[in-house]
Amino acid sequence: MRELILAMSMSLDGFVSGPAGETEWIFSGDQEAIAWKLENAWNASLHIMGGRTFQGMAGFWPTSTNAFAPPMNQIPKAVFSKQGNAMLPKKAGGSASTELQPGAESWADAYVASGNLADEISRLKAGEGKPIIAHGGATFARSLIAEDLVDQYMLTVYPLALGQGLPIFSDLAQPRRLELISSRVFPKGSIAQIYRRV
């Protein structure tokens, strides 16, 4: 069985974005942190995300030359949406100004999970191989957490307090204990913390 890892960046005060979804603070330019995140992005057999995050990423990664484009394009994806296959982008060839990167077609070939969240996650976990990495947004992350579907939390905490924003642990019915299994501090002050469900 594959484990489900929730990979999120958050502020010191526990927000994964500002009130309007602002996330520019995540891109700190800390090369060690970027290398660590990139290594972890490759350590997946499937990337999963909610519908809004999927649409944003599907419009960006296929033509991006960013260091994260290869794993984001080449590793299979699943999108959680009630819209069915209408959620998927159309397959298209790149033009000279928007050359498609290797694996770009994987966005149009993504599995659309439109059934019960716990059932769909159980079905995906039943596969063999590397872990499943879940990306936000906050609503999708909260749903995974509330239903206790996450095996590991890979949280990068940035040295910034937002004061307000979107949390991911706000839908817990009761406190949840986690075990810290690793922690790493990066030169510009962000800290990667990996927790396992107890």
Side-chain angles (χ1 to χ4, degrees):
M1 283 197 50
R2 299 185 286 191
E3 287 201 326
L4 175 60
I5 299 172
L6 177 62
M8 299 295 290
S9 297
M10 61 178 26
S11 65
L12 276 175
D13 47 352
F15 300 114
V16 296
S17 73
E22 308 92 335
T23 58
E24 61 281 346
W25 48 273
I26 291 171
F27 307 99
S28 66
D30 188 323
Q31 295 307 305
E32 266 191 50
I34 290 169
W36 181 85
K37 285 185 173 188
L38 186 56
E39 179 183 339
N40 282 291
W42 276 115
N43 187 37
S45 58
L46 182 69
H47 288 286
I48 67 172
M49 57 205 79
R52 280 180 294 216
T53 298
F54 180 86
Q55 286 183 319
M57 289 189 174
F60 177 75
W61 290 119
T63 58
S64 174
T65 56
N66 180 291
F68 287 90
M72 293 310 297
N73 285 325
Q74 294 173 30
I75 293 172
K77 263 112 4 230
V79 55
F80 284 72
S81 172
K82 300 294 184 192
Q83 294 180 32
N85 287 345
M87 167 63 62
L88 300 177
K90 293 193 178 4
K91 289 188 181 182
S95 67
S97 62
T98 58
E99 184 178 341
L100 293 177
Q101 297 299 310
E105 69 284 349
S106 69
W107 294 94
D109 294 334
Y111 170 70
V112 180
S114 54
N116 172 274
L117 179 64
D119 292 343
E120 292 280 11
I121 292 293
S122 179
R123 189 174 304 120
L124 294 174
K125 281 185 174 184
E128 294 296 322
K130 293 180 181 179
I132 299 166
I133 294 184
H135 304 273
T139 302
F140 181 56
R142 276 197 298 269
S143 297
L144 293 172
I145 293 167
E147 296 206 31
D148 201 17
L149 301 172
V150 178
D151 298 299
Q152 284 188 44
Y153 296 83
M154 187 166 54
L155 307 175
T156 307
V157 180
Y158 287 78
L160 167 78
L162 293 176
Q164 57 182 329
L166 300 176
I168 58 171
F169 291 103
S170 56
D171 290 342
L172 289 177
Q174 58 189 14
R176 180 166 307 152
R177 244 175 227 296
L178 302 173
E179 176 189 6
L180 179 66
I181 58 174
S182 73
S183 182
R184 180 170 173 184
V185 180
F186 298 110
K188 292 196 175 180
S190 58
I191 303 173
Q193 298 172 317
I194 299 179
Y195 294 90
R196 178 175 287 285
R197 182 174 58 189
V198 176

